Amino acid sequence: MSGEPLVVVLIGPGGVGKGTLARRLVERDGHLWLSRSWTTRPPRSHETDADYHFVAREEFESAIDEDRFLEWAEFHGQLYGTPRPTPPAGEDVLLEIDVQGAEQVRRLIPDALVVLVTAPDETSLEARLRGRGDDEAHVRARLASAPEEMARGRRVADAVVLNDDPDRAAGEIVSILEGLRRARRTPA
Ligand code: 5GP
């Protein structure tokens, strides 16, 4: 591969399984580097430093002032941001972020591939959100914001992929990605 890395952005409502799908994509594709975001949200019980760089709000705000983020956004009262990516040579970049972040990436990198991940039904979203141990008010707030996130997501996305099964969905995204890589290698 040559030239600038491709940037692939996964978006979708909470509970849709973006995290699992992102890991599956990295395993299957072999040329994707998953960015680790910063957040001011406290870690959930099962989370480690591999999931996020967990920081205090002051540290996050200093990093904003120092222009260290490709994009950042406030989501349900917490800050989340993508540090400027540093993939190894030859690898493309995978981001798993919210729709506000995807809108910023689209403005900065017009040829980024934005994929909206959708759930087969609402009950699976709700069950996944509840299974994370977040409090009820937070679960309800996230469910309530899902329709707006989906509507904005459809406007910014290049592709909509149903996460009925993470392996199948990852395969679909890898096919799209391979098509894009081929198109970039082919002189116009
Ligand atoms: P959670 O708190 O459930 O881990 O994440 C909340 C939302 O923030 C999810 O939609 C997740 O994709 C998004 N998110 C995670 N990292 C980033 C980031 O670096 N930037 C933005 N804009 N959103 C992020």
Side-chain angles (χ1 to χ4, degrees), residues 58-120:
E58 302 79 68
E59 193 179 343
F60 197 111
E61 285 170 349
S62 300
I64 296 174
D65 293 342
E66 291 159 12
D67 202 22
R68 288 168 65 183
F69 293 114
L70 173 68
E71 64 72 35
W72 65 272
E74 180 146 10
F75 182 86
H76 289 283
Q78 302 289 351
L79 301 176
Y80 295 82
T82 304
R84 297 192 178 281
T86 53
E91 303 226 338
D92 291 325
V93 173
L94 178 60
L95 309 181
E96 189 240 294
I97 61 178
D98 87 318
V99 67
Q100 307 170 75
E103 289 165 352
Q104 294 175 50
V105 172
R106 169 64 78 222
R107 282 195 291 276
L108 293 165
I109 309 169
D111 66 354
L113 170 67
V114 180
V115 178
L116 172 66
V117 183
T118 61

Side-chain angles (χ1 to χ4, degrees), residues 11-14 75-76 98-100 103 116 122 141-156:
I11 57 170
F75 182 86
H76 289 283
D98 87 318
V99 67
Q100 307 170 75
E103 289 165 352
L116 172 66
E122 273 230 5
R142 292 209 51 180
L143 285 170
S145 66
E148 161 77 6
E149 288 171 45
M150 286 288 291
R152 280 172 77 170
R154 283 184 195 282
R155 285 197 288 273
V156 75

